[in-house]
Amino acid sequence: MGAEGVSPLIALGQPGLSFRYVQTFGVTEEPYLADSDHLYGPNGMFVDGGDNLYVTEEYGYRMLKFDSAGTSELVIGHPGQPWHHDDFLSYPKDVALDGDGNIWVVIDPAIKQFAADGSLLQIFPEIDPWIGGDENDRFSGPRGIAFDSAGLLYISDAWNHRIQVYDLSGGTPVYTETIGETGVSGSDNAHFNEPSQIAFDSSDRLYVMDTGNYRVQRCEYTAGWSCSTFFGATGIPGDDLTHLQWASGITIDGADDIFIADGANYRILKCDTSGSCAHFAGVTGEQGWDNDHFWWPADVAEDSVGDVYVSDWDNHRVQKFDSNGTYIGTLGATRVPYLTDTTRLNRPWGITVAPDGSLYVAEDRGDRLIKLSPSGTQIWTVGEPGVYGNDDDHLGSYWAGPEGNLAIDSSGTVYVADTGNARVQIFDPSGTLVGTFGSYGTGNYQFDCPAGVAINPANGDIFVVDRCNQRVQVFNSNRIYKATIGTTGVIGTDNAHLNWPWSVAVNASGDIFVADTDNERVQTCTLSGGTGVCTTFVGETGMRDNDFGHLQPISVAVDGDGRVYVADGWSSRVQVFDSSGAYLTTLGGIWGGYSGEMRFPTGIALDTEGNLYVSDAETQRIQKYSAGVPGWTQSNLNGFGNPDNAFVLSLYPFGGKLYAGTVNLTGAGAQLWRLEGGGWSSVMTDGFGNPSNDGIDDMIEFNGELYAGTWADEINGGEIWRSSAGSAWSRVVSSGFGDPTNGEVLQFAVFDGQLYGSTWSWTDTHGAEIWRSSTGDSGSWSQVVSDGFDGDSSNFGILLEVHEGYMYAVTSNDSTGTEVWRTADGTGFAQVNADGFGSVDNWGVSSLADFGGSFYAGVGNDATGSQIWRCDVCDGSDWDQVVGDGFGDVQNLRVEALIPFGNQLYAVTFNQMTGMEVWRSPDGVTWAQVNPDGFGDGNNWAPYWDNSATVFDDTLYIGTRNWANGGEVWQLLHEAEIQHIYLPLIMR
């Protein structure tokens, strides 16, 4: 029986394909060298009473404060990280100060308040500030901010076509009213069309840059708000002194002089309150980068002596003028938004690998093409960092840099989709431009935001994703038009249409794969009569989630074995499928910048050796992966085909088969799988009929039957189930032995002819318990330990192990430290260690083992790293620490498994930074690591407790916890097959 919710495209019985991390190109989360001498897209500005200038850096994701001499005094935000938590700034648009000197910054789509020292005070909205909306506590494209004389807060909410007003008297913004009509643009005086910056004059009249209507509206409050046109001609752009063209910035000084940043006219106007305006700075209708010109003036501000500041957005500078419009100075460096080096990458997108291993990278935000050696050394670059243009020396436009995968033909020529310039640029291996084709339009040789190129390896045909035209255009190797896939300019969900496609790939047989992004599918196509004939290869229109069969394809690639790789932007992962569309594996799957995590993967490429390269755009890096893990093989598909099976918590051999118990925290219930004949099959999928049984903590054989203890909750309590053949199961313990707060039956032991089961207590009113039965039958169980030994309810979990005629019980206790108890008869227990082995930080023993005549305990310590202790007599007199400090890495917080195998003792550590580690020792003292961290995936953490490692069929198996893609089972290859030991011996 298959697992619930598993896509029919998943071949459940096959072993998992695995990739291991090898190398990073770029510097994680650092797109360039940031300083205060450069400004990356300066936008909204504000000058306070002390003539300090505050500038929002839209593409730098920062807000900078300068004193009147131009010296940087404060920076808020993090370059290259447009996030919403803490002090991060997502595309900041404007800034203002309230009456208490607090700094308010408009980001997309929220606002943040900071104290004068830059410490975060609040985010509004507080819940999910990254989600826009049209409710009164949400924004959609907010652009401007201002305060009136009463301290009310005003936000121009551009895409909602309104101004929102808030009362701050209680500290948190409280909505009071709306100016305009939510979600309705209009050109009358009751409506706005994408309002941007706002300002008040001395009479508390509100001026709104009604950008989409090419006007400035002035709004006054009497019984309510009423607005009229102050300047401009509604709906009519122009460049004389009565018209505006995409004007967004405004400031008003104490004398009610009004300065307007007239963006597309490249000028600043100065107006009086009657609406009479004069030219102040810039050259009308002319862009430029000398001091007399602007490239795009975005906002304007004025200090107390009448000096005027202009944020010259595309020139990446702030220009300063005196009161007569005479240039004084510059903040920033003209046309140089930032400094970079030979290492950093600014939002890498498209990638491809040459036959010699050289890597070509297109920077979407950096507007460059970069060639790297196989080791990552920069060989050459084309373009200027962060500076776009449409000539031969530049890539990108103001709205889009190069997007989509790159392609390389048999001669080594590289094809780059220059998205914002509606063309494909062609470079030879030395970086010389050798050709260009395409122009803006809908014709057969025209493009609208091209976003990816592929070459047919069989005949040299060139495929160009013409994204905004909803098609893929096909040309022969001489760039002669050949065919179209999709319908030009028409979005659709059937097989004749595409919906904002973003990538294309062609395999050696000429099969075409199209990332049909907004249809949430990959189409496989062939050419017939000048058109593409397509069917869905993987995905489902209207479905994007973390299920392996659903995705939002951004990029697609194929390898020499016919496997198809898909960058899934929605779930921050790369999905791999075989040539039939059956799921194989996943890389990434968690949004972030740590090992095994990704933020918006965009480009995929494979080299001739099968190494996989992924451009992780929002983490500013490219990750390289190799197939397989030397010395190990993944035995199962991730999560047994379901990513919600996050843990393989227990492994146990029974009846010549290996059983695996999972944890499923979605409410669907635990699953049980078994390995026989080289493949895994499903035994149970729904928590034994009780979905509250989230996991299977442990399994054991007793009197010829297999027993399983469950992980439930304090409402339902742990259960015990048994089966004689591993298929038909009956319950023998329910409701936590009659107390549902025994939420888990944590571990079993067979001792002196009886079956013992320990619990995890989900309450602080009593500690963990131990129960036993001579038959295992329902109703035969009796309690032998109550309330965590001697009434210590701080002992909330107990593990069991038998050694040299005693049964040992070890506790988890984060109050006084872990305790070790033992019994010779199953009822009388005595403690045989000092609490926490002398340290309260040693809060729990997660693993136990009998090895070489000694008894070993793996101890968890979140302060200084895990430890291993051992004893021979074990009466409390001879415990000896043989491992400390997490094997030299304090992030190895716990030893979650200890297991003897092949004359070695193996230890499995819990490490949530770089992934679980497997160490082994012939003597318990000298240890070596025998796996790459996380088996090459930082998302692989060790599950809880000592139940996830076992020996079956003379092979060591280890289960993992993987929140991203589901738990995995890893099998150690036989000694003759192991070729690598990953870290040198560490002596203890």
Side-chain angles (χ1 to χ4, degrees), residues 106-110 124-125 129-144 155-166 175 177-187 190-196 208-213:
V106 176
I107 66 172
D108 185 18
F124 182 80
W130 52 88
I131 297 177
D134 60 4
E135 302 87 353
N136 289 326
D137 63 346
R138 297 280 161 185
F139 307 106
S140 182
R143 289 292 308 276
I155 302 292
S156 67
D157 191 11
W159 297 342
N160 280 323
H161 309 291
R162 66 186 182 184
I163 309 296
Q164 295 286 85
V165 187
Y166 299 90
Y175 168 79
E177 60 186 315
T178 294
I179 310 171
E181 184 177 357
T182 299
V184 180
S185 65
S187 58
H191 293 85
F192 303 111
N193 186 0
E194 295 190 14
S196 50
V208 179
M209 298 304 299
D210 193 9
T211 303
N213 279 324

Side-chain angles (χ1 to χ4, degrees), residues 354-369:
D356 67 357
S358 299
L359 181 66
Y360 294 85
V361 184
E363 288 183 311
D364 172 51
R365 192 156 294 136
D367 297 306
R368 293 189 300 172
L369 175 66

Side-chain angles (χ1 to χ4, degrees), residues 19 559 563 565 606-613 625-627:
F19 286 84
D559 68 13
R563 290 185 287 253
Y565 300 74
L606 295 119
D607 64 20
T608 56
E609 297 180 353
N611 295 307
L612 174 66
Y613 300 78
Y625 300 87
S626 290

